[in-house]
Amino acid sequence: MSTQEEPVMEGLKAELRRESRRLRLDFNELKSGGFIKQTQKDLFTVRLRCPGGQVTADKLHLAADIAQRFGRGEVHLSVRQSVEIPYVHYQHFDAITEELKTVNWSVASCGPRVRVPTACAGCTYNPNGLVDTQSMCREVDRRYFGIPTGHHKFKISFSGCPIDCFRSREMDLGFQGVVEPKLVEELCTGCELCVKNCEDEALRMEGSLPVRDLDKCIWCGDCVKICPVDAMVVDRRGWLARVGGKHGKHPLFAYEVANFLSDDQAFSLIEATLGWYRSQGRGRERIGATIARLGLEQYIQEVIHPLGGEAIESPQERRRYWAEGNLYGLRGGEATRKI
Amino acid sequence: MDQTTEENRLDLRGVLCPMNFVHTKLKLEEMAEGQTLEVILDDGEAMRNVPRNVKADGHHILSVHKLPDNSYKLLIRRGTD
Ligand code: SF4
Ligand code: SF4
Ligand code: SF4
């Protein structure tokens, strides 16, 4: 259920339109909202808006209650962190929408729109987290949720660190936390713990001090976390941005396009990217296909450069993120097949 | 000036993750704030995990020494709860 949308067929559309007039529902809201047609006649799955997968106990109680009264007493947890209530008859949409309002809740979006953003726990309670993914996710949801793209769906996700549990690589736009370490030489005891802990082999000892290889570092911050005397410290913190990923029949891995963005730069990047996609996209293609068609350079030129952030321009700079033998390596900016 | 006593020494060579950390943690919890514990750890996984978790628990790693058999001796001062 979670990755299939827009199954509203013509006959059903007319029926819904009539029904929505009778129930005084906004038909457009119905279409854009998270009411997803099931195989069973007249039954829908109601997808609830859960940015970052965070749901208060109040909301959870209400979802359970709605599932019991209007569904079959069960919910489904979607791969994009939504609570979904299956087996709901469309006649109950109105009542459900009203009840959701009492806890300041609503249904999620479907169709060619900005979807509810997803996020891991980030630094709020995950020890690996480098940035506050949850706050960012809530804000992005507040600002951009449901905006029509004119072409296809648009998914945004946030991961707190390079482990990337929230698969920023598979999103139309993905953001991942990064930190830049800096050595305070006077404090360093030369214990080599940081060197041992750097899984990317970006650190080596030169004399009694660790030295970082800037071509290998992926900004995970492990060296900062391990240093017993706080000689390795955070110099700066921000977001690595990826664009053009998707799953589906022909999945694409996103390209890293900018690094160390501030929250504000990330918002600007989202806005600029949506604008670019709206004007450059064709038909029902995802932004990954638009980029494959026009070339990544054009996207970077038109979207990243004007932002003034730190652009990631070459495949060499991206290499550090790829595993050997990954299909990433096959992509020089051109898709080899229809997307 | 080594203040470590017999009781405050753990040889965790051959002990796997996460039990090596659990032993270290339990030992530190028995101790009073400011006391030091000497722990010997294997290189590799143990050295990747234990020091990081010890630090995250609020203790202080005072020194790290490599031993002839490629294991490591850590001196840890118990932090505040
Ligand atoms: S991406 Fe990093 S911070 Fe987020 S859940 Fe995974 S390990 Fe934790
Ligand atoms: S930030 Fe991560 S990759 Fe970079 S040097 Fe430190 S441990 Fe290695
Ligand atoms: S872990 Fe800290 S003290 Fe040890 S070598 Fe690295 S920077 Fe120096």
Side-chain angles (χ1 to χ4, degrees), chain B:
Chain B
M1 235 202 31
D2 191 353
Q3 317 155 318
T4 28
T5 60
E6 243 347 278
E7 305 87 74
N8 289 353
R9 191 169 289 154
L10 280 179
D11 186 348
L12 296 174
R13 279 175 288 198
V15 180
L16 297 180
C17 299
M19 287 318 290
N20 42 20
F21 172 62
V22 173
H23 283 298
T24 309
K25 186 184 168 74
L26 289 177
K27 192 77 187 174
L28 284 163
E29 274 169 13
E30 281 172 12
M31 293 163 39
E33 188 187 329
Q35 279 190 310
T36 51
L37 170 69
E38 189 186 286
V39 177
I40 302 179
L41 293 168
D42 289 323
D43 195 6
E45 203 65 359
M47 275 301 282
R48 257 198 239 287
N49 293 328
V50 179
R52 185 190 305 203
N53 291 327
V54 162
K55 196 187 163 195
D57 270 6
H59 307 296
H60 308 279
I61 299 172
L62 301 176
S63 67
V64 181
H65 288 296
K66 195 171 189 154
L67 301 180
D69 67 344
N70 265 337
S71 61
Y72 283 82
K73 186 171 85 178
L74 266 65
L75 202 60
I76 305 167
R77 191 177 69 217
R78 193 205 196 283
T80 8
D81 279 321

Side-chain angles (χ1 to χ4, degrees), chain A residues 120-123 126 128-130 159-166:
Chain A
C120 72
C123 65
N126 188 302
N128 287 321
L130 305 173
S159 280
C161 77
I163 295 173
D164 197 25
C165 297
F166 273 71

